[in-house]
Amino acid sequence: MAVLSGYMDATMENIREAEPEDANAIADIHIASWQFAYRGIMNDELLDSMDHNKKAAAWSEAIGNLGWSVYVSQDDKRITGFIHISEYGDKDIAQDRVGEVASLYILPELIGFGLGAKLFSEGLSHLAKAGYSQVALWVLQQNARSISFYQKFGFREDGASKIHPKTGLMEVRYVRQI
Protein backbone atom coordinates (compact mmCIF):
# COMPACT_ATOMS: atom_id res chain seq x y z
CA MET A 1 0.00 0.00 0.00
CA ALA A 2 1.58 3.26 -1.13
CA VAL A 3 1.23 6.31 1.06
CA LEU A 4 1.61 9.63 -0.74
CA SER A 5 1.82 12.80 1.37
CA GLY A 6 -0.19 11.14 4.09
CA TYR A 7 -2.88 9.77 1.80
CA MET A 8 -3.43 6.22 0.61
CA ASP A 9 -3.29 5.43 -3.08
CA ALA A 10 -6.64 5.81 -4.88
CA THR A 11 -6.72 2.05 -5.46
CA MET A 12 -7.65 1.74 -1.79
CA GLU A 13 -10.82 3.78 -2.33
CA ASN A 14 -14.19 2.08 -2.37
CA ILE A 15 -16.69 3.33 -4.96
CA ARG A 16 -20.38 2.75 -4.37
CA GLU A 17 -23.74 4.16 -5.33
CA ALA A 18 -24.63 7.20 -3.24
CA GLU A 19 -27.30 6.98 -0.57
CA PRO A 20 -29.52 9.82 0.69
CA GLU A 21 -27.47 10.12 3.89
CA ASP A 22 -24.43 10.99 1.73
CA ALA A 23 -25.99 14.30 0.64
CA ASN A 24 -24.23 16.41 3.30
CA ALA A 25 -20.79 15.03 2.45
CA ILE A 26 -21.45 15.44 -1.28
CA ALA A 27 -22.51 19.07 -0.69
CA ASP A 28 -19.31 19.71 1.30
CA ILE A 29 -17.18 18.28 -1.52
CA HIS A 30 -19.14 20.17 -4.18
CA ILE A 31 -18.64 23.51 -2.43
CA ALA A 32 -14.97 22.92 -1.53
CA SER A 33 -14.23 21.82 -5.10
CA TRP A 34 -15.89 24.84 -6.66
CA GLN A 35 -14.07 27.18 -4.27
CA PHE A 36 -10.75 25.53 -5.10
CA ALA A 37 -11.09 24.94 -8.84
CA TYR A 38 -12.93 28.09 -9.85
CA ARG A 39 -11.22 30.74 -7.67
CA GLY A 40 -9.88 33.27 -10.16
CA ILE A 41 -12.29 32.06 -12.85
CA MET A 42 -15.62 32.78 -11.17
CA ASN A 43 -16.74 35.69 -9.07
CA ASP A 44 -15.47 35.32 -5.47
CA GLU A 45 -18.80 36.49 -4.11
CA LEU A 46 -20.58 33.61 -5.85
CA LEU A 47 -18.05 31.08 -4.57
CA ASP A 48 -18.11 32.41 -1.01
CA SER A 49 -21.90 32.54 -0.85
CA MET A 50 -22.55 28.90 -1.74
CA ASP A 51 -25.13 27.56 0.71
CA HIS A 52 -24.44 24.14 2.19
CA ASN A 53 -28.07 23.50 3.17
CA LYS A 54 -29.34 24.26 -0.36
CA LYS A 55 -26.65 22.06 -1.94
CA ALA A 56 -27.34 19.21 0.49
CA ALA A 57 -31.09 19.42 -0.20
CA ALA A 58 -30.48 19.39 -3.95
CA TRP A 59 -28.16 16.36 -3.70
CA SER A 60 -30.60 14.57 -1.41
CA GLU A 61 -33.27 15.02 -4.06
CA ALA A 62 -30.94 13.96 -6.89
CA ILE A 63 -29.79 10.75 -5.23
CA GLY A 64 -32.13 8.00 -6.32
CA ASN A 65 -33.87 10.21 -8.88
CA LEU A 66 -34.74 8.14 -11.93
CA GLY A 67 -32.35 8.90 -14.73
CA TRP A 68 -29.60 10.17 -12.43
CA SER A 69 -26.85 8.09 -10.91
CA VAL A 70 -24.48 9.37 -8.26
CA TYR A 71 -21.47 7.36 -7.14
CA VAL A 72 -19.17 8.24 -4.25
CA SER A 73 -15.62 7.28 -3.42
CA GLN A 74 -14.94 6.54 0.19
CA ASP A 75 -11.85 5.75 2.22
CA ASP A 76 -12.03 4.20 5.66
CA LYS A 77 -13.05 7.54 7.24
CA ARG A 78 -15.10 9.63 4.84
CA ILE A 79 -16.55 10.26 1.41
CA THR A 80 -13.75 11.67 -0.72
CA GLY A 81 -15.41 12.42 -4.07
CA PHE A 82 -18.41 11.85 -6.31
CA ILE A 83 -19.48 11.53 -9.92
CA HIS A 84 -22.96 12.27 -11.23
CA ILE A 85 -23.94 10.63 -14.53
CA SER A 86 -27.19 10.60 -16.46
CA GLU A 87 -28.72 10.53 -19.90
CA TYR A 88 -27.59 13.58 -21.87
CA GLY A 89 -30.06 16.39 -21.22
CA ASP A 90 -29.74 18.46 -24.39
CA LYS A 91 -31.17 17.12 -27.64
CA ASP A 92 -28.67 18.67 -30.01
CA ILE A 93 -26.50 15.58 -30.52
CA ALA A 94 -27.83 13.50 -33.40
CA GLN A 95 -26.65 10.18 -32.03
CA ASP A 96 -28.96 7.95 -30.02
CA ARG A 97 -28.17 6.88 -26.43
CA VAL A 98 -25.86 9.68 -25.31
CA GLY A 99 -24.83 9.70 -21.66
CA GLU A 100 -23.53 12.66 -19.71
CA VAL A 101 -21.05 13.24 -16.94
CA ALA A 102 -22.84 16.06 -15.17
CA SER A 103 -20.28 16.51 -12.40
CA LEU A 104 -17.10 15.02 -11.01
CA TYR A 105 -15.57 16.43 -7.84
CA ILE A 106 -13.12 15.23 -5.25
CA LEU A 107 -11.75 16.79 -2.08
CA PRO A 108 -9.22 19.40 -3.24
CA GLU A 109 -6.46 17.99 -1.03
CA LEU A 110 -6.73 14.65 -2.85
CA ILE A 111 -6.13 16.01 -6.35
CA GLY A 112 -3.21 14.25 -8.00
CA PHE A 113 -3.58 10.85 -6.32
CA GLY A 114 -5.60 9.19 -9.09
CA LEU A 115 -8.95 9.40 -7.33
CA GLY A 116 -10.59 11.57 -10.01
CA ALA A 117 -9.44 9.14 -12.71
CA LYS A 118 -10.79 6.18 -10.77
CA LEU A 119 -14.20 7.82 -10.24
CA PHE A 120 -14.33 8.99 -13.86
CA SER A 121 -13.51 5.51 -15.17
CA GLU A 122 -16.21 4.03 -12.95
CA GLY A 123 -18.78 6.51 -14.25
CA LEU A 124 -17.87 5.81 -17.88
CA SER A 125 -18.10 2.09 -17.20
CA HIS A 126 -21.62 2.47 -15.80
CA LEU A 127 -22.69 4.49 -18.85
CA ALA A 128 -21.29 1.81 -21.17
CA LYS A 129 -23.08 -0.96 -19.26
CA ALA A 130 -26.31 1.02 -19.52
CA GLY A 131 -26.01 0.95 -23.32
CA TYR A 132 -24.84 4.47 -24.07
CA SER A 133 -22.73 4.73 -27.21
CA GLN A 134 -21.40 8.24 -26.62
CA VAL A 135 -20.79 10.44 -23.60
CA ALA A 136 -20.77 14.22 -23.38
CA LEU A 137 -19.83 16.73 -20.71
CA TRP A 138 -19.68 20.48 -20.30
CA VAL A 139 -16.65 22.27 -18.89
CA LEU A 140 -15.89 25.94 -18.33
CA GLN A 141 -13.80 27.18 -21.22
CA GLN A 142 -11.27 28.69 -18.78
CA ASN A 143 -10.87 25.49 -16.72
CA ALA A 144 -7.59 24.26 -18.21
CA ARG A 145 -6.97 21.64 -15.51
CA SER A 146 -10.28 19.87 -16.14
CA ILE A 147 -9.96 20.14 -19.91
CA SER A 148 -6.54 18.47 -19.75
CA PHE A 149 -8.00 15.72 -17.52
CA TYR A 150 -10.87 15.00 -19.94
CA GLN A 151 -8.56 15.01 -22.95
CA LYS A 152 -6.46 12.28 -21.30
CA PHE A 153 -9.61 10.14 -21.40
CA GLY A 154 -10.08 10.74 -25.12
CA PHE A 155 -12.66 13.53 -24.94
CA ARG A 156 -12.54 16.16 -27.68
CA GLU A 157 -14.25 19.50 -28.00
CA ASP A 158 -17.04 19.29 -30.57
CA GLY A 159 -17.62 23.01 -31.15
CA ALA A 160 -20.77 23.40 -29.03
CA SER A 161 -20.82 26.09 -26.37
CA LYS A 162 -23.28 27.74 -24.02
CA ILE A 163 -23.35 30.22 -21.18
CA HIS A 164 -23.44 28.66 -17.70
CA PRO A 165 -26.70 29.94 -16.15
CA LYS A 166 -25.33 30.68 -12.65
CA THR A 167 -21.96 32.12 -13.58
CA GLY A 168 -22.44 33.76 -16.97
CA LEU A 169 -19.23 32.04 -18.14
CA MET A 170 -18.77 30.12 -21.38
CA GLU A 171 -18.93 26.33 -21.23
CA VAL A 172 -17.71 24.10 -24.03
CA ARG A 173 -18.85 20.56 -24.76
CA TYR A 174 -16.49 17.60 -24.92
CA VAL A 175 -17.58 14.22 -26.28
CA ARG A 176 -16.25 10.75 -26.91
CA GLN A 177 -17.51 7.38 -28.03
CA ILE A 178 -17.83 4.69 -25.38
Side-chain angles (χ1 to χ4, degrees):
M1 167 171 43
V3 177
L4 304 172
S5 300
Y7 186 72
M8 290 193 296
D9 187 292
T11 60
M12 301 304 294
E13 294 282 329
N14 176 43
I15 297 178
R16 62 172 174 79
E17 196 160 2
E19 300 171 356
E21 56 269 15
D22 298 329
N24 280 320
I26 291 171
D28 287 341
I29 292 167
H30 195 163
I31 291 169
S33 294
W34 268 52
Q35 291 173 340
F36 173 80
Y38 302 138
R39 188 77 61 193
I41 296 174
M42 288 184 188
N43 178 304
D44 284 348
E45 185 178 318
L46 172 69
L47 295 172
D48 294 335
S49 67
M50 293 180 76
D51 184 290
H52 171 82
N53 292 333
K54 286 182 182 176
K55 281 278 183 230
W59 281 112
S60 181
E61 185 177 319
I63 295 169
N65 184 351
L66 293 176
W68 290 35
S69 295
V70 181
Y71 296 89
V72 296
S73 57
Q74 181 176 351
D75 63 17
D76 60 343
K77 299 175 190 164
R78 63 193 169 163
I79 292 174
T80 55
F82 69 94
I83 187 167
H84 164 216
I85 58 175
S86 64
E87 183 171 3
Y88 185 67
D90 296 334
K91 300 300 178 205
D92 61 335
I93 295 179
Q95 191 164 343
D96 204 20
R97 299 291 296 158
V98 179
E100 180 171 7
V101 176
S103 55
L104 169 69
Y105 295 108
I106 63 171
L107 291 169
E109 65 268 23
L110 301 182
I111 292 173
F113 292 99
L115 178 56
K118 186 175 180 184
L119 264 170
F120 198 60
S121 294
E122 186 77 14
L124 295 177
S125 176
H126 283 282
L127 288 169
K129 288 176 189 171
Y132 292 100
S133 57
Q134 186 177 21
V135 63
L137 57 84
W138 291 94
V139 60
L140 290 177
Q141 187 174 36
Q142 298 158 296
N143 190 346
R145 178 190 303 238
S146 291
I147 289 170
S148 175
F149 176 84
Y150 298 135
Q151 288 174 334
K152 288 176 185 172
F153 280 86
F155 282 79
R156 297 292 174 248
E157 188 174 354
D158 74 349
S161 63
K162 66 181 180 179
I163 300 297
H164 188 279
K166 290 184 181 178
T167 66
L169 298 173
M170 182 67 67
E171 290 183 300
V172 291
R173 184 172 61 203
Y174 277 72
V175 297
R176 95 159 225 210
Q177 298 299 312
I178 295 183

